[in-house]
Structures are given as structure tokens and as C-alpha cells.
Amino acid sequence: MFPKLVSGLLGLLFLCVAAVTQAGDVKKVRMWLAPDHVRLVFDLSGPSAHKVFTLSNPHRIVLDVENAKLTADLTKLGLDKSPVQRIRSGKNGKTLRLVLDLKRAVRPKSFELKPNQKYGHRLVLDLYEKDSLVKAKKTAKPKAVAGRDIVIAIDAGHGGDDPGAIGSGRVREKDVVLAIAKELKRRLDQTPGYKGKLTRTGDYYISLRGRTKAARKHNADLFVSIHADAFKDHRARGASVWVLSSRGASSEMGRWLARKENSADLIGGVGSVSLDDKDNVLASVLLDMSMTASREDSRSIAKGIHGNIKRFARMHKSHVEQAGFVVLKSPDIPSILVETGFISNPGEAAKLKTRSYQKKMADAVYKGITQHFERKPPALTYVAQRKAKDNRSYKVVRGDTLSVIASKNGVSLASLRKVNSLKSDRIKIGQVLRIPAS
Ligand SMILES: [Zn+2]
């Protein structure tokens, strides 16, 4: 009887404590700068209701958090590059009022995030540059110009409030993958006929849907997402290359990984209730048609990259793997995900943080991509045109001499001899000659 009573009392006591900490006190504030917005993340001690409104003359944003007090230090935010001049706080009864004095007008968007393995209750306030919406609307789909570049959307995983995996020596996935992504972009941009487009260029978060949306906006021919794993077992190691599976993961590790990568939005925040679900209805209709083609390309590119990485790194599996990564669900664009290694493995983390290894990794991905597109360039691209030119041929007719053929095709006699490995200038009627690119 007695122990029961004690535990009952303890329970009651616990409830009281819980009720006290229920208030959404603002314990900490973090800020992340993205090209079109700034994100402020407020760590709250509990769930709380909030309200946001704007005032002009001068421009201000007011954030009211009910039943809360401020225990965070707002002076260390580093607002220099943000549209916020300073943040003031005050109390309005039980409500905590934060006033953001602005340098210019911005569009606020706020939402709350539930606790996850990393953070507790959070309140997210995104401040969008006023002209970002206009710009987004004005960006018409680029026309398919003849001789266009092959566009590769390069997606560095995680970012901002979501560090991704954290390895030994505090190596962070979000930093490693951004460095590799930037190097890959550099390589592609230096190659005639290719263009790399980063989904994120700095340390901020983009929702999983936002990443594929960016790829579509750029009319990407390929979406490649770059990550570095962590596993509870520090001995786990090896790089892996993934394509989307429609029928579930090909391994236990695949299920585990997909679950982990897919939960990024719980940490980084989706940013909005999706207004794009109508896209999904259309997508599911188009899925069967476009999926087959893009899946074949995805596999071919993934296989190439897998083979290239294998030359210098240990692979997790001897083949390309499959799992249901949200970020790969873009039915019309071939999409692959490269896990560059286990950041939780001290040996691999040490390598992954070095510039030379990051370059090696970027190079392996670069070669896998270009090898595929040189073989199978999309129509009307510069690479396709160059290839067509390279593949010109000529069938010898009566009266032809090698020098006549050379001048007919606007190439030099020497180059004609060379590409056809001719030892003499004797040719036969009906013989097919390769015409070099002029
Ligand atoms: Zn990741």
C-alpha cells in the first residue's frame, strides 16, 4: 500500500513540474542565412502558441510567444548580413514579445517543429526577401535551345539546423558534402557542354521537396544527391551508390539509411505545409511513363560512379543499391544518391574531411556522369551535336580521290588520313570513311 501511495505522490509531483515547464520559454536562438531568406530557429522549453505580424514605417516584425519568457542571449546572433537590424524583447502579460527591427521589408513565414532526436520544441521564423517571390514567378522555363548544356543538379545533403551525420573529430556531413558538391560543380562547369547547379550553396536547410523542385526549375538532366553516413556501429564503412526503389529497400542498411535521410525534414524543417501536393497527383499519372526511362539512366550513371569510386575507396556493397529515398522521387529526372562513406568510421571521417579525398570523390562522380552522357547525350545538347559531328561518315563514290573528299567535307587531307588510319591514299568505291570534326 505504502509504496503505491508514494509513487502516486511522486507522479503528482512530476505532473506539477511538467506543467511548469510546459511554457514555451525561448532558450536559444540560431540563425541561418540562405540566398533568398534568413531562418531564425527558436528553441522552446515546451509547446507554445505564437503569432507573427508585420509593421511598417519603420519595418518591423513582431513575434508573440504565449506563456513564455526569454532566457536566450540574442546578442550573439551575428545579424550583419541578415535583413534584421536588431531584436528587442518585452513582456505583454504572460506573452513574450520579440520585435525584429528590419533593414528592409521582408515576408515572414513561421511554423513550429515537434521534438526529434536532436532538438526539442522549436519555433521557426523564415524571413523571405520581398523580391524573391516575384523572381520565382518570373523565372519562365528556359527554352530548349539547340546546343544547350547538360544540366546536373548537385544536391549537398542537409545544412543549417540539420548537420546530418556527425563523425569523429566533429566532422559534419553537411560540410563534407557541400565541399564535394562544389568541387563537382567546378569540374562540370569547366567542361564544355555541362553545367552544374547546386541546390544549396551555403550552410542553410532546404526541404527534401525543395531540392527536387530546384532540380526541376533548372530543367536538370540529372539529380545527384551527396551524403556521408553515420552508423551506430563505428566499424561500418564503405561508400555506396543508390537509386530509388519502388518496391522497398534492397537491404536492411538501405531501409535504415532511407529512414534516416528521409527524416531530415523533421530536423531542418519542411518550411511550409505543402501546397505542391497537386504536383503529386500529376506526377503519379506520369510516373509509370517517365519512370522507366529515367530509372534506366539512373542505374547506368549510378553503376559508372560505383565503379569509379571502387578504384580508390572501399564499397559498402559490390553493386548499386536501392531504397526509398524521398529526395530521389522525381519521376522525370534520373536521380541518384551517393553516400561517400561512413563519417562515423574514424578512418573514413579522417579521409572525408581532406580536400584531396573530397576532390577524388567529386572526380569519381564527375566521370560517372560524363561517361554516361557522352554515351547517351540528350537531344539538342551541345554534347549531342558534337557527337553527331564526330560521327560523320562518307561513302566513297566513283571519281572520288582522298583530296576531293577532304575538300568536299571541309577537312584537311592529313586529318582525314589520320582518323581513318590510312597508310596510302588508295580508296575503293563504297568504302566508308570517318570524317573528323572540322
Ligand atoms: Zn545524409
Side-chain angles (χ1 to χ4, degrees), residues 157-158 162-165 173 177 226-230 257 260-261 264 337 339:
H158 314 277
D162 169 23
E173 177 179 3
V177 297
I226 300 174
H227 291 258
D229 299 333
L257 257 184
K260 199 165 62 68
E261 301 290 16
L337 189 142
E339 291 277 3

PDB file of all heavy atoms in Angstrom, residues 157-158 162-165 173 177 226-230 257 260-261 264 337 339, ligand 1:
ATOM      1  N   GLY A 157      23.519  17.208 -49.262  1.00  0.00           N
ATOM      2  CA  GLY A 157      22.513  16.878 -48.257  1.00  0.00           C
ATOM      3  C   GLY A 157      22.592  17.774 -47.023  1.00  0.00           C
ATOM      4  O   GLY A 157      23.612  18.390 -46.751  1.00  0.00           O
ATOM      5  N   HIS A 158      21.445  17.851 -46.307  1.00  0.00           N
ATOM      6  CA  HIS A 158      21.369  18.524 -45.010  1.00  0.00           C
ATOM      7  C   HIS A 158      21.713  20.021 -45.091  1.00  0.00           C
ATOM      8  O   HIS A 158      21.490  20.632 -46.115  1.00  0.00           O
ATOM      9  CB  HIS A 158      22.243  17.779 -43.996  1.00  0.00           C
ATOM     10  CG  HIS A 158      22.015  16.300 -44.053  1.00  0.00           C
ATOM     11  ND1 HIS A 158      20.987  15.688 -43.398  1.00  0.00           N
ATOM     12  CD2 HIS A 158      22.655  15.317 -44.743  1.00  0.00           C
ATOM     13  CE1 HIS A 158      21.008  14.393 -43.667  1.00  0.00           C
ATOM     14  NE2 HIS A 158      21.996  14.141 -44.487  1.00  0.00           N
ATOM     15  N   ASP A 162      20.216  21.289 -39.636  1.00  0.00           N
ATOM     16  CA  ASP A 162      20.376  19.845 -39.793  1.00  0.00           C
ATOM     17  C   ASP A 162      21.814  19.532 -40.220  1.00  0.00           C
ATOM     18  O   ASP A 162      22.145  19.678 -41.383  1.00  0.00           O
ATOM     19  CB  ASP A 162      19.377  19.331 -40.831  1.00  0.00           C
ATOM     20  CG  ASP A 162      19.657  17.898 -41.240  1.00  0.00           C
ATOM     21  OD1 ASP A 162      20.300  17.177 -40.448  1.00  0.00           O
ATOM     22  OD2 ASP A 162      19.231  17.508 -42.338  1.00  0.00           O
ATOM     23  N   PRO A 163      22.670  19.143 -39.270  1.00  0.00           N
ATOM     24  CA  PRO A 163      24.075  18.899 -39.629  1.00  0.00           C
ATOM     25  C   PRO A 163      24.288  17.577 -40.358  1.00  0.00           C
ATOM     26  O   PRO A 163      25.357  17.328 -40.867  1.00  0.00           O
ATOM     27  CB  PRO A 163      24.772  18.871 -38.270  1.00  0.00           C
ATOM     28  CG  PRO A 163      23.714  18.407 -37.321  1.00  0.00           C
ATOM     29  CD  PRO A 163      22.400  18.920 -37.844  1.00  0.00           C
ATOM     30  N   GLY A 164      23.237  16.726 -40.408  1.00  0.00           N
ATOM     31  CA  GLY A 164      23.430  15.378 -40.927  1.00  0.00           C
ATOM     32  C   GLY A 164      24.235  14.587 -39.931  1.00  0.00           C
ATOM     33  O   GLY A 164      24.189  14.872 -38.732  1.00  0.00           O
ATOM     34  N   ALA A 165      25.002  13.629 -40.418  1.00  0.00           N
ATOM     35  CA  ALA A 165      25.798  12.805 -39.511  1.00  0.00           C
ATOM     36  C   ALA A 165      26.959  13.619 -38.959  1.00  0.00           C
ATOM     37  O   ALA A 165      27.487  14.485 -39.638  1.00  0.00           O
ATOM     38  CB  ALA A 165      26.317  11.587 -40.255  1.00  0.00           C
ATOM     39  N   GLU A 173      28.646  16.027 -41.663  1.00  0.00           N
ATOM     40  CA  GLU A 173      28.219  15.621 -43.003  1.00  0.00           C
ATOM     41  C   GLU A 173      27.885  16.823 -43.875  1.00  0.00           C
ATOM     42  O   GLU A 173      28.289  16.903 -45.029  1.00  0.00           O
ATOM     43  CB  GLU A 173      27.006  14.686 -42.898  1.00  0.00           C
ATOM     44  CG  GLU A 173      26.448  14.267 -44.264  1.00  0.00           C
ATOM     45  CD  GLU A 173      25.263  13.324 -44.177  1.00  0.00           C
ATOM     46  OE1 GLU A 173      24.817  13.020 -43.052  1.00  0.00           O
ATOM     47  OE2 GLU A 173      24.777  12.899 -45.242  1.00  0.00           O
ATOM     48  N   VAL A 177      29.831  17.227 -47.519  1.00  0.00           N
ATOM     49  CA  VAL A 177      29.096  17.029 -48.773  1.00  0.00           C
ATOM     50  C   VAL A 177      28.987  18.325 -49.577  1.00  0.00           C
ATOM     51  O   VAL A 177      28.974  18.292 -50.800  1.00  0.00           O
ATOM     52  CB  VAL A 177      27.702  16.378 -48.544  1.00  0.00           C
ATOM     53  CG1 VAL A 177      27.867  14.986 -47.947  1.00  0.00           C
ATOM     54  CG2 VAL A 177      26.795  17.220 -47.672  1.00  0.00           C
ATOM     55  N   ILE A 226      24.330  14.145 -52.575  1.00  0.00           N
ATOM     56  CA  ILE A 226      25.573  13.679 -51.961  1.00  0.00           C
ATOM     57  C   ILE A 226      25.473  13.667 -50.436  1.00  0.00           C
ATOM     58  O   ILE A 226      25.050  14.653 -49.827  1.00  0.00           O
ATOM     59  CB  ILE A 226      26.762  14.549 -52.434  1.00  0.00           C
ATOM     60  CG1 ILE A 226      26.857  14.434 -53.969  1.00  0.00           C
ATOM     61  CG2 ILE A 226      28.072  14.105 -51.791  1.00  0.00           C
ATOM     62  CD1 ILE A 226      27.874  15.333 -54.591  1.00  0.00           C
ATOM     63  N   HIS A 227      25.838  12.547 -49.859  1.00  0.00           N
ATOM     64  CA  HIS A 227      25.740  12.350 -48.404  1.00  0.00           C
ATOM     65  C   HIS A 227      26.963  11.635 -47.856  1.00  0.00           C
ATOM     66  O   HIS A 227      27.807  11.171 -48.605  1.00  0.00           O
ATOM     67  CB  HIS A 227      24.486  11.518 -48.086  1.00  0.00           C
ATOM     68  CG  HIS A 227      23.204  12.248 -48.345  1.00  0.00           C
ATOM     69  ND1 HIS A 227      22.458  12.803 -47.349  1.00  0.00           N
ATOM     70  CD2 HIS A 227      22.568  12.535 -49.504  1.00  0.00           C
ATOM     71  CE1 HIS A 227      21.394  13.411 -47.879  1.00  0.00           C
ATOM     72  NE2 HIS A 227      21.431  13.265 -49.191  1.00  0.00           N
ATOM     73  N   ALA A 228      27.048  11.559 -46.539  1.00  0.00           N
ATOM     74  CA  ALA A 228      28.063  10.753 -45.855  1.00  0.00           C
ATOM     75  C   ALA A 228      27.399  10.167 -44.616  1.00  0.00           C
ATOM     76  O   ALA A 228      26.887  10.905 -43.787  1.00  0.00           O
ATOM     77  CB  ALA A 228      29.266  11.608 -45.463  1.00  0.00           C
ATOM     78  N   ASP A 229      27.392   8.859 -44.538  1.00  0.00           N
ATOM     79  CA  ASP A 229      26.637   8.168 -43.487  1.00  0.00           C
ATOM     80  C   ASP A 229      27.220   8.247 -42.094  1.00  0.00           C
ATOM     81  O   ASP A 229      28.399   8.494 -41.931  1.00  0.00           O
ATOM     82  CB  ASP A 229      26.624   6.659 -43.757  1.00  0.00           C
ATOM     83  CG  ASP A 229      25.971   6.331 -45.049  1.00  0.00           C
ATOM     84  OD1 ASP A 229      25.138   7.119 -45.459  1.00  0.00           O
ATOM     85  OD2 ASP A 229      26.307   5.285 -45.627  1.00  0.00           O
ATOM     86  N   ALA A 230      26.358   7.890 -41.153  1.00  0.00           N
ATOM     87  CA  ALA A 230      26.834   7.519 -39.820  1.00  0.00           C
ATOM     88  C   ALA A 230      26.050   6.281 -39.430  1.00  0.00           C
ATOM     89  O   ALA A 230      24.884   6.142 -39.787  1.00  0.00           O
ATOM     90  CB  ALA A 230      26.578   8.625 -38.818  1.00  0.00           C
ATOM     91  N   LEU A 257      19.021   3.533 -43.708  1.00  0.00           N
ATOM     92  CA  LEU A 257      19.541   4.773 -44.295  1.00  0.00           C
ATOM     93  C   LEU A 257      18.428   5.665 -44.817  1.00  0.00           C
ATOM     94  O   LEU A 257      18.403   6.861 -44.557  1.00  0.00           O
ATOM     95  CB  LEU A 257      20.451   4.431 -45.482  1.00  0.00           C
ATOM     96  CG  LEU A 257      21.938   4.525 -45.240  1.00  0.00           C
ATOM     97  CD1 LEU A 257      22.658   4.243 -46.552  1.00  0.00           C
ATOM     98  CD2 LEU A 257      22.307   5.925 -44.748  1.00  0.00           C
ATOM     99  N   LYS A 260      16.614   7.330 -42.143  1.00  0.00           N
ATOM    100  CA  LYS A 260      17.405   8.399 -41.536  1.00  0.00           C
ATOM    101  C   LYS A 260      17.463   9.637 -42.442  1.00  0.00           C
ATOM    102  O   LYS A 260      17.246  10.750 -41.999  1.00  0.00           O
ATOM    103  CB  LYS A 260      18.815   7.893 -41.256  1.00  0.00           C
ATOM    104  CG  LYS A 260      19.556   8.733 -40.247  1.00  0.00           C
ATOM    105  CD  LYS A 260      20.768   8.005 -39.725  1.00  0.00           C
ATOM    106  CE  LYS A 260      21.773   7.701 -40.812  1.00  0.00           C
ATOM    107  NZ  LYS A 260      22.446   8.854 -41.373  1.00  0.00           N
ATOM    108  N   GLU A 261      17.775   9.432 -43.708  1.00  0.00           N
ATOM    109  CA  GLU A 261      17.875  10.573 -44.618  1.00  0.00           C
ATOM    110  C   GLU A 261      16.507  11.219 -44.824  1.00  0.00           C
ATOM    111  O   GLU A 261      16.402  12.420 -44.978  1.00  0.00           O
ATOM    112  CB  GLU A 261      18.467  10.154 -45.966  1.00  0.00           C
ATOM    113  CG  GLU A 261      19.862   9.537 -45.899  1.00  0.00           C
ATOM    114  CD  GLU A 261      20.964  10.514 -45.526  1.00  0.00           C
ATOM    115  OE1 GLU A 261      20.661  11.615 -45.025  1.00  0.00           O
ATOM    116  OE2 GLU A 261      22.148  10.173 -45.726  1.00  0.00           O
ATOM    117  N   ALA A 264      15.252  14.006 -42.428  1.00  0.00           N
ATOM    118  CA  ALA A 264      15.939  15.304 -42.395  1.00  0.00           C
ATOM    119  C   ALA A 264      14.959  16.463 -42.223  1.00  0.00           C
ATOM    120  O   ALA A 264      15.246  17.416 -41.509  1.00  0.00           O
ATOM    121  CB  ALA A 264      16.765  15.491 -43.661  1.00  0.00           C
ATOM    122  N   LEU A 337      21.749   8.862 -55.532  1.00  0.00           N
ATOM    123  CA  LEU A 337      22.244   9.346 -54.249  1.00  0.00           C
ATOM    124  C   LEU A 337      23.574   8.649 -53.956  1.00  0.00           C
ATOM    125  O   LEU A 337      23.673   7.429 -54.068  1.00  0.00           O
ATOM    126  CB  LEU A 337      21.209   9.053 -53.155  1.00  0.00           C
ATOM    127  CG  LEU A 337      21.451   9.662 -51.777  1.00  0.00           C
ATOM    128  CD1 LEU A 337      20.120  10.103 -51.161  1.00  0.00           C
ATOM    129  CD2 LEU A 337      22.135   8.681 -50.839  1.00  0.00           C
ATOM    130  N   GLU A 339      26.371   7.967 -51.196  1.00  0.00           N
ATOM    131  CA  GLU A 339      26.835   8.032 -49.805  1.00  0.00           C
ATOM    132  C   GLU A 339      28.342   7.856 -49.893  1.00  0.00           C
ATOM    133  O   GLU A 339      28.838   6.788 -50.243  1.00  0.00           O
ATOM    134  CB  GLU A 339      26.190   6.920 -48.967  1.00  0.00           C
ATOM    135  CG  GLU A 339      24.687   7.099 -48.723  1.00  0.00           C
ATOM    136  CD  GLU A 339      24.353   8.023 -47.560  1.00  0.00           C
ATOM    137  OE1 GLU A 339      25.294   8.583 -46.953  1.00  0.00           O
ATOM    138  OE2 GLU A 339      23.157   8.192 -47.254  1.00  0.00           O
TER     139      GLU A 339
HETATM  140 ZN    ZN B   1      22.755  12.351 -45.211  1.00  0.00          ZN
END
